[in-house]
Amino acid sequence: MSDGNSITVDVVSDVVCPWCFIGQKRLDKAIAAASDIDVNVRWRPFQLDPTIPPEGKDRRAYMLAKFGSEERIREIHARIEPLGEAEGIRFAFGAIKVAPNTLDAHRVIRWAGAAGDAVQNRLVRRLFQLNFEEGANIGNHGVLVEAAREAGMDASVVETLLPTDADVEAVRTEIATASRMGITGVPCFLLEGKYAVMGAQDAETLADAIRQVAAAKARGELETAS
């Protein structure tokens, strides 16, 4: 395909954000709808709560502290579940026992990016599934190593790197950069590094944005970043 018919979409997201999981499913639909455009997806880190300790927190206690009551938590889940169902997601909020710190998950996602787009996409999808549909603790190194293996990464390399500080600062810097850009909520879809679509918009809105940016790029209307 010609360059004008290809665009890059950077998705700023956190793997414990249910709206990001919904957003990922809708982006898939949008890419399928705009099938004449070659869309390169890159996943960028964001942490909804970087203060969670590395070992995570009891999710029920964490949610109660955050939202104040079981009733409020049920209301939030009840609002999200049917939206997920419409996208083929079976949210199993009750199965999630640990609210994890996602820094290590973002490190593995970063490494997956070096292994190829398809690998990174597979890994992100798997982490969403593990957290939201299977109630796995995606802060756990064993869970992350297995997810990396399933996505097609060299699991032994991931296993070796995770206990070190490899790319901890790089991920934190990326998160800080997103904040400086004014990204306060996720998902945020950044098209060609210039146009931001905020929130889990419906697939048609995303497809529209992809078509418009691709057309502008084809006309030479996008300045390339220096």
Side-chain angles (χ1 to χ4, degrees), residues 9-67:
V9 178
D10 288 293
V11 188
V12 184
S13 102
D14 197 0
V15 278
V16 290
C17 165
W19 296 105
C20 293
F21 194 6
I22 291 169
Q24 175 256 306
K25 294 285 193 182
R26 290 177 177 174
L27 178 62
D28 280 355
K29 285 184 181 172
I31 291 169
S35 57
D36 54 324
I37 298 155
D38 183 17
V39 182
N40 172 33
V41 178
R42 298 185 302 201
W43 292 88
R44 301 295 189 188
F46 190 89
Q47 281 194 287
L48 292 177
D49 189 350
T51 69
I52 293 175
E55 67 277 10
K57 287 184 173 180
D58 175 84
R59 185 177 186 270
R60 187 168 171 274
Y62 176 74
M63 294 292 281
L64 277 171
K66 193 171 179 180
F67 296 109

Side-chain angles (χ1 to χ4, degrees), residues 144-156:
L144 290 172
V145 169
E146 187 51 39
R149 181 183 286 111
E150 288 176 30
M153 296 173 73
D154 185 333
S156 61

Side-chain angles (χ1 to χ4, degrees), residues 42-225:
R42 298 185 302 201
W43 292 88
R44 301 295 189 188
F46 190 89
Q47 281 194 287
L48 292 177
D49 189 350
T51 69
I52 293 175
E55 67 277 10
K57 287 184 173 180
D58 175 84
R59 185 177 186 270
R60 187 168 171 274
Y62 176 74
M63 294 292 281
L64 277 171
K66 193 171 179 180
F67 296 109
S69 72
E70 291 277 8
E71 189 186 4
R72 179 86 183 98
I73 295 165
R74 275 196 300 273
E75 278 172 15
I76 291 163
H77 290 167
R79 190 159 61 96
I80 295 170
E81 280 162 359
L83 294 170
E85 210 171 303
E87 305 300 338
I89 300 168
R90 295 179 307 282
F91 280 116
F93 291 113
I96 307 170
K97 302 305 178 198
V98 177
N101 182 300
T102 55
L103 184 67
D104 285 343
H106 286 304
R107 290 165 67 210
V108 182
I109 291 166
R110 181 184 177 88
W111 302 331
D117 304 330
V119 175
Q120 194 182 49
N121 276 317
R122 279 200 300 271
L123 177 67
V124 171
R125 281 168 176 71
R126 187 66 190 122
L127 292 175
F128 278 135
Q129 284 174 344
L130 282 163
N131 183 64
F132 287 112
E133 296 186 323
E134 298 173 31
N137 175 8
I138 56 169
N140 177 281
H141 284 188
V143 171
L144 290 172
V145 169
E146 187 51 39
R149 181 183 286 111
E150 288 176 30
M153 296 173 73
D154 185 333
S156 61
V157 172
V158 174
E159 198 167 11
T160 304
L161 288 176
L162 268 175
T164 73
D165 285 338
D167 283 329
V168 167
E169 282 315 309
V171 169
R172 283 189 176 137
T173 299
E174 266 205 85
I175 292 167
T177 301
S179 296
R180 274 204 307 279
M181 288 169 68
I183 297 170
T184 55
V186 285
C188 174
F189 303 91
L190 203 58
L191 284 68
E192 283 295 303
K194 292 181 179 298
Y195 300 95
V197 178
M198 301 294 294
Q201 302 291 340
D202 61 78
E204 193 43 56
T205 301
L206 285 169
D208 235 21
I210 288 167
R211 290 189 196 101
Q212 285 180 32
V213 173
K217 186 180 178 184
R219 291 193 299 267
E221 291 170 12
L222 300 187
E223 296 170 26
T224 45

